[in-house]
Amino acid sequence: LYFEGEEEDSDNDEGQIGVCPICTRELPLTFHHLIPKSTHKKMVKQHGYSKEYLNSHGVDLCRPCHSHVHRLIPLMDMALTFNTLERILEHNGVK
């Protein structure tokens, strides 16, 4: 699996090296909030999520895949529809 047109982006700190669940490359991983942080206030208020859940609900991705997910999927779509790794993998922009 891979993203077309992926680019390296360095706006977040990278973590430990591991296998990215999207591209299966062994690279430093970053934590991707499956429900974006910018939507947390709305998700707590309108959808009943706890802050603890929202801050811990995520997956470790390599920086190229993490950046591509954010370019590919609008934040509210990510929060409401593409909020699991399985749903992200089903997106047409992921190969």
Side-chain angles (χ1 to χ4, degrees), residues 30-70:
T30 61
F31 185 76
H32 169 68
H33 289 87
L34 289 166
I35 298 175
K37 287 169 50 175
S38 64
T39 68
H40 283 188
K41 187 174 181 177
K42 182 175 186 173
M43 291 301 178
V44 168
K45 196 172 200 177
Q46 294 181 3
H47 298 276
Y49 289 105
S50 72
K51 290 180 184 180
E52 294 78 19
Y53 175 78
L54 293 172
N55 285 322
S56 64
H57 184 61
V59 62
D60 290 325
L61 303 176
C62 70
R63 171 50 50 204
C65 288
H66 191 164
S67 295
H68 190 73
V69 166
H70 280 280

Side-chain angles (χ1 to χ4, degrees), residues 2-7 68 71 93-95:
Y2 66 94
F3 288 120
E4 288 184 5
E6 65 188 26
E7 294 179 20
H68 190 73
R71 285 191 305 269
V94 179
K95 291 187 175 187

Side-chain angles (χ1 to χ4, degrees), residues 73-90:
I73 305 171
L75 295 176
M76 283 310 296
D77 289 349
M78 196 181 303
L80 297 172
T81 304
F82 295 97
N83 54 20
T84 67
L85 177 59
E86 292 75 20
R87 292 302 311 265
I88 291 171
L89 292 171
E90 292 171 357

